[in-house]
Amino acid sequence: MTNRNPAAEAGNYKWKALITTAMGALMATMDVSITNIAFPTLTRVFDKEITTVIWVTVAYVLVSTSSMLILGKISDTVGRKRIYTIGMLIFTLGMAACSLAQSMGELIFYRCIQGLGAAMNVSCGAAIVTEAFPLKETGRGLGLLGISVSLGFIIGPVLGGFLLDWLDWRAIFYVRTPVAFFTFVLGLILLKKDRIADHGLRLDLLGALTSSLGIFCLVYGVSQARDSGFFSPAIFAWVGCGIVILSLFTLQERKTPNPLLDLSLFRNRAFLLASLSLFFTFVSAPPFILIMPFYLMQGIGMSPSEAGLLLAVNSVATIVCGPVSGSLSDRFGPQRFAAAGAAATAFAFVLMLFFNLDTGMGAIISVLILLGVGIGMFQTPNSSMIMGSVPRDQLGTASALMATVRQVGLSLGMALAGALYTSRLMQYQSEWVRNGTEGSEAIRLSIPVAFHDTLLLSIILSAVVVFLSFPLRVEEWRGSS
């Protein structure tokens, strides 16, 4: 009879849990970055404008965002392994269906299915790792899980670029389907059997409905700005409805005994300001994430694989800088590094205003490295401020909220950047055509200036993040934990 060593088993399991959840996070993150580089191809293949094509990503992010809180709540009751593995299966089936889509409408619908599966994975991943790692190693486990997110952003554009060059747009889905299915199998084999809660399933259905509907109205309203104009009554109606419904959500969360979101967390000033900084950071990111592939491929004339490799420079800088800034922020205080990272990010966006059709690769790479350093320097200390400002028994809630804030900011930023870029591109294109320039060349000449106009949004919001990060004192966020 073999003697069991509980400590050794626990030590082995934490790595099994980390590997499994990291694979899921990698797949979910890659699914955003790999589709972004395919936008120029999708606009051509389906003969759709960018405002329609961006819903391939916006729909994915929107569904995952609006369902994440409720799924996290469900997993606490029915079991995290169960939700995680079912989510991976749904994600895999959705990915396979995307590769078979015959129209843009079908592709967006299947992406919604993928988004639901991704929400089930992401909402459980951090909680599974937190539970598997000892208390004193929780930060280490979450930090390693975070690396898989950065790897997804690195691998996505590189792999997507080569697949678009060698095969076709469907390959970005069917090539990855076996890997997603393998991750599903890992979850079944490696994750521990769930311990089901004694109490019944208690869901805040009204909170789930109002949060999902409110977020949808906001994002959809902003996405329609290109067709209706930013100051049209329709836009104000959609955005106004979103704000009203989200206000009802906050009222519901205040009075329900089992809220999806514990609003008392926001009474902590450090948590509130760090969460706002995270939100504005992700709203500011899409002008770069969304428009840069158009600038590189349709403006400068790069191939998809070349553009993918170039965009990976940014993510490599982030993954190198992130752990370093995290260690230094533990020693010297996170607010300094978060503010410095936001400032570096803002400066990188300012430098992008000088990008034109003749800009050399050296200049572009330098700016992308600066942007990656800024993002890495901001994100890890920002996460430390958020997680360090909440009680230990609310780490799961804080983790789910961080994921939701990122997704909401990204989806709003995608819709806003897409609408702004398209409207400015059409205006500049019309001016070039009136001056006698041919259609395709007019588009090419219009891309850099439309990109610059959209980047102003990133610059302003990054400056706001710098302002929000500075007031957070070390004593404030540490003393509140």
Side-chain angles (χ1 to χ4, degrees), residues 192-257:
K192 284 183 178 179
K193 185 178 180 180
D194 291 314
R195 290 178 292 180
I196 308 300
D198 295 332
H199 58 78
L201 184 59
R202 301 169 183 172
L203 295 180
D204 178 16
L205 295 179
L206 184 57
L209 176 63
T210 51
S211 64
S212 301
L213 187 59
I215 292 171
F216 176 83
C217 289
L218 278 177
V219 176
Y220 183 79
V222 173
S223 71
Q224 298 304 301
R226 183 266 168 195
D227 296 325
S228 304
F230 281 100
F231 302 102
S232 70
I235 301 302
F236 281 108
W238 278 105
V239 174
C241 283
I243 293 173
V244 170
I245 295 172
L246 289 177
S247 299
L248 294 176
F249 167 71
T250 60
L251 294 176
Q252 168 67 13
E253 298 307 281
R254 288 178 182 275
K255 67 180 183 180
T256 183

Side-chain angles (χ1 to χ4, degrees), residues 32-107:
V32 176
S33 60
I34 201 170
T35 51
N36 289 344
I37 199 166
F39 283 168
T41 301
L42 294 175
T43 57
R44 184 183 70 254
V45 170
F46 289 102
D47 192 24
K48 300 291 184 180
E49 294 184 352
I50 181 60
T51 48
T52 300
V53 173
I54 64 170
W55 277 90
V56 172
T57 293
V58 172
Y60 173 89
V61 174
L62 185 57
V63 170
S64 61
T65 300
S66 58
S67 57
M68 199 171 294
L69 286 175
I70 187 68
L71 289 169
K73 190 76 171 181
I74 293 173
S75 71
D76 288 337
T77 303
V78 305
R80 297 188 180 106
K81 174 180 179 177
R82 183 174 300 176
I83 295 298
Y84 183 89
T85 52
I86 293 174
M88 275 310 308
L89 182 59
I90 293 174
F91 181 86
T92 303
L93 293 175
M95 183 182 295
C98 285
S99 68
L100 303 174
Q102 299 299 312
S103 67
M104 180 58 64
E106 287 185 21
L107 181 58

Side-chain angles (χ1 to χ4, degrees), residues 299-328:
I300 296 179
M302 285 187 172
S303 68
S305 57
E306 291 172 337
L309 284 172
L310 187 62
L311 290 174
V313 170
N314 169 67
S315 297
V316 170
T318 298
I319 201 172
V320 170
C321 184
V324 175
S325 66
S327 298
L328 292 175

Side-chain angles (χ1 to χ4, degrees), residues 196-423:
I196 308 300
D198 295 332
H199 58 78
L201 184 59
R202 301 169 183 172
L203 295 180
D204 178 16
L205 295 179
L206 184 57
L209 176 63
T210 51
S211 64
S212 301
L213 187 59
I215 292 171
F216 176 83
C217 289
L218 278 177
V219 176
Y220 183 79
V222 173
S223 71
Q224 298 304 301
R226 183 266 168 195
D227 296 325
S228 304
F230 281 100
F231 302 102
S232 70
I235 301 302
F236 281 108
W238 278 105
V239 174
C241 283
I243 293 173
V244 170
I245 295 172
L246 289 177
S247 299
L248 294 176
F249 167 71
T250 60
L251 294 176
Q252 168 67 13
E253 298 307 281
R254 288 178 182 275
K255 67 180 183 180
T256 183
N258 298 292
L260 287 178
L261 177 61
D262 185 359
L263 297 179
S264 65
L265 288 174
F266 293 100
R267 296 173 188 166
N268 184 308
R269 182 169 176 267
F271 181 87
L272 174 62
L273 293 180
S275 297
L276 285 174
S277 298
L278 182 65
F279 173 74
F280 286 124
T281 295
F282 275 83
V283 176
S284 70
F288 163 75
I289 296 173
L290 178 65
I291 311 304
M292 195 68 176
F294 287 90
Y295 166 70
L296 295 177
M297 295 165 64
Q298 294 185 350
I300 296 179
M302 285 187 172
S303 68
S305 57
E306 291 172 337
L309 284 172
L310 187 62
L311 290 174
V313 170
N314 169 67
S315 297
V316 170
T318 298
I319 201 172
V320 170
C321 184
V324 175
S325 66
S327 298
L328 292 175
S329 67
D330 286 339
R331 182 177 179 183
F332 300 106
Q335 84 293 342
R336 297 183 181 92
F337 290 91
T345 301
F347 186 51
F349 287 140
V350 170
L351 292 177
M352 287 182 189
L353 294 177
F354 297 94
F355 284 3
N356 54 47
L357 299 179
D358 299 318
T359 302
M361 286 299 100
I364 294 176
I365 291 173
S366 299
V367 174
L368 292 183
I369 291 175
L370 176 62
L371 180 63
V373 169
I375 293 173
M377 191 180 295
F378 168 81
Q379 284 190 353
T380 304
N382 176 263
S383 298
S384 296
M385 286 190 287
I386 292 176
M387 301 303 287
S389 62
V390 300
R392 297 292 304 182
D393 60 354
Q394 291 184 296
L395 283 177
T397 300
S399 178
L401 183 61
M402 281 176 56
T404 303
V405 167
R406 287 196 299 263
Q407 297 283 61
V408 171
L410 187 62
S411 57
L412 280 173
M414 280 283 188
L416 186 60
L420 181 60
Y421 173 74
T422 304
S423 63

